[in-house]
Amino acid sequence: MSKNMRRDERNQAKKSLAPPIFQTATFTFDGSDDLEAYHGGETDAFFYTRYGNPTNEAAERKLALLEGAETSLLYASGMAAVSSVFLSLLAPNARIVIPQESYRHTRDIAEGLLTRYGVRVDIPAENTVESLEALSDGQIRVLFAEIPSNPTLRIPDIGQMAEWAQKRRARFIVDSTIASPALFRPLEHGADLAVQSVTKYIGGHNDVVAGAVSGGLDIIDALREQQALLGSILGPQEAFLVERGLKTLELRVRRISDTALKLAEFLEGHPRVSQVYYPGLESHPDHQRAVQYMAAFGGIVSFELDGNHGKADELVSALQIPVLAPGFGGTESQVEHHVKMAYADIGIQGAENRGVPAGLIRYSVGLEDFEVLRDDLGEGLKKL
Ligand SMILES: *Cc1c(COP(=O)(O)O)cnc(C)c1O
């Protein structure tokens, strides 16, 4: 008997509840007719994993349902998703408008890479419709927004921005990573595309780096074709983890948001804390908009201490429960002195020039009990 398996002996996926991990680079055909049928679009077979993989498809379907999208596409990271959208929609002389306070590397792509390719980048000082109105007309192809923004959690008026973009035939792209589709679905408010760093709340366990874009079939199909060329796909192992994360997204984010609101209230009442940025607090400049747009206020609480920014270093070192680590959105709480973690290369002055407060502490709430996190913060603040 041959040691090599015959074609017709190969195992097919059983009726597995969890999606099997199709850990394969390529897919086989029964014969030339089958191959031809595939190329003729007559079968739903797969071809080569750079063009698609069933494990990814399972996760993409689930994400599309949550985003209220026709379809979703996974990427190797959030940055792969952001950069691919930009490359797909922009060309030399086209303009993109991005907010002053945006995820640092999104802005870096816009100001670095895009500018190098002849794209014009507008960064209005205020993230308001009035400042959009003040821009000169013409050639604006993309309007980009984040909800909430990082790190002071501003909530732009997504509905008005969508109208503004539509009038100018610009595509409106919303990065809603910090809200996650559990709290805000950009497509329901007029966005053309919703972008996610899946690494954060959707993955949810700090064990996968991934990104996603959701939207209409036409625009995502073009991105899918581009992805097959550029190769920024997510591997099937990671896609499996994304699908698993999606199962509990809503539960996690609801619980995390409940705890975060209580922590924000605790911090706001604490004498050593000079400012708290949390959209669930009435003191937040966009609180009304947050109530209007979001199902809950999310898991990130940013705050500043009284005294100099060295106190922020002391506090993040003194805390015993949250890990000191970049990123957010996992089951364990994470804390950082934001400029020290995310702007080490350009320093405090460079970060301040970009509008990031020097002493800002960003606290990403996890699934621990509120009382445990509160007492830890209380102890840490007492030591300052
Ligand atoms: C983390 C993050 C990104 C980048 O995602 P990666 O998965 O780290 O590449 C983009 N936008 C926002 C708002 C983020 O928080």
Side-chain angles (χ1 to χ4, degrees):
M1 226 182 26
S2 164
K3 278 192 290 182
N4 301 98
M5 203 181 269
R6 288 166 47 92
R7 278 183 196 170
D8 58 6
E9 293 168 341
R10 290 188 182 277
N11 195 13
Q12 300 300 311
K14 303 298 186 192
K15 295 182 178 177
S16 170
L17 173 58
I21 302 175
F22 285 83
Q23 192 64 35
T24 183
T26 196
F27 297 83
T28 61
F29 294 90
D30 295 338
S32 301
D33 290 349
D34 189 26
L35 175 63
E36 222 165 280
Y38 166 78
H39 281 308
E42 293 157 33
T43 73
D44 57 2
F46 288 82
F47 186 65
Y48 183 71
T49 283
R50 182 156 41 74
Y51 296 81
N53 177 291
T55 311
N56 295 48
E57 187 181 78
E60 286 166 354
R61 283 211 179 133
K62 199 165 227 161
L63 176 59
L65 276 175
L66 270 178
E67 287 279 21
E70 282 178 359
T71 184
S72 298
L73 178 60
L74 289 171
Y75 280 92
S77 67
M79 289 321 297
V82 170
S83 55
S84 299
V85 167
F86 288 171
L87 286 178
S88 166
L89 299 178
L90 293 161
N93 294 320
R95 281 164 74 191
I96 175 172
V97 184
I98 70 164
Q100 171 90 245
E101 180 171 286
S102 36
Y103 183 68
R104 175 177 179 194
H105 304 295
T106 297
R107 189 166 153 178
D108 287 344
I109 290 183
E111 289 183 307
L113 189 75
L114 293 184
T115 309
R116 196 144 56 80
Y117 287 111
V119 174
R120 292 169 54 203
V121 179
D122 290 278
I123 306 177
E126 293 282 328
N127 195 11
T128 60
V129 177
E130 290 73 46
S131 33
L132 292 179
E133 294 290 351
L135 293 171
S136 63
D137 257 350
Q139 291 282 9
I140 295 177
R141 287 274 168 72
V142 174
L143 173 63
F144 191 83
E146 287 180 26
I147 175 169
S149 66
N150 179 41
T152 69
L153 307 164
R154 300 300 303 260
I155 311 285
D157 194 330
I158 296 289
Q160 278 194 19
M161 290 174 93
E163 273 177 36
W164 184 89
Q166 205 172 21
K167 257 192 265 163
R168 283 157 189 79
R169 301 210 178 152
R171 295 287 199 176
F172 184 33
I173 315 301
V174 177
D175 179 339
S176 52
T177 296
I178 294 182
S180 92
L183 302 184
F184 182 74
R185 291 145 48 114
L187 304 174
E188 291 176 355
H189 298 270
D192 294 294
L193 289 176
V195 174
Q196 289 286 339
S197 167
V198 171
T199 313
K200 314 294 169 46
Y201 290 106
I202 294 177
H205 298 74
N206 276 321
D207 55 9
V208 60
V209 171
V213 179
S214 304
L217 274 173
D218 53 343
I219 180 166
I220 300 281
D221 278 351
L223 284 167
R224 216 179 274 284
E225 273 180 36
Q226 177 188 272
Q227 184 182 58
L229 284 178
L230 297 182
S232 49
I233 55 158
L234 189 67
Q237 299 261 2
E238 282 77 8
F240 173 85
L241 291 172
V242 171
E243 202 272 349
R244 197 191 53 180
L246 283 166
K247 293 183 194 210
T248 55
L249 174 70
E250 177 125 18
L251 275 175
R252 285 185 283 107
V253 171
R254 288 277 178 174
R255 150 95 183 197
I256 282 170
S257 297
D258 285 350
T259 309
L261 177 57
K262 288 191 228 161
L263 273 187
E265 285 165 349
F266 166 73
L267 286 167
E268 192 165 51
H270 198 285
R272 303 303 311 269
V273 175
S274 60
Q275 174 135 27
V276 182
Y277 305 87
Y278 187 69
L281 296 176
E282 279 179 23
S283 58
H284 190 279
D286 302 325
H287 176 64
Q288 285 313 321
R289 223 176 264 150
V291 170
Q292 177 194 344
Y293 281 128
M294 291 174 62
F297 305 109
I300 294 189
V301 181
S302 295
F303 59 101
E304 290 179 79
L305 303 172
D306 63 348
N308 66 40
H309 57 73
K311 293 279 178 214
D313 290 331
E314 284 178 40
L315 182 65
V316 297
S317 298
L319 295 177
Q320 296 297 309
I321 305 290
V323 294
L324 176 57
F328 61 88
T331 54
E332 295 88 1
S333 291
Q334 288 172 241
V335 73
E336 60 182 49
H337 176 190
H338 192 58
V339 300
K340 289 286 181 75
M341 186 65 81
Y343 291 88
D345 56 331
I346 59 173
I348 293 214
Q349 196 54 53
E352 277 189 319
N353 291 345
R354 285 183 170 213
V356 183
L360 185 136
I361 294 168
R362 195 181 73 180
Y363 196 117
S364 161
V365 176
L367 291 179
E368 302 89 345
D369 288 338
F370 160 67
E371 291 77 12
V372 171
L373 299 178
R374 177 200 59 200
D375 292 350
D376 181 48
L377 266 170
E379 284 298 311
L381 287 164
K382 218 190 295 173
K383 288 189 193 138
L384 299 184

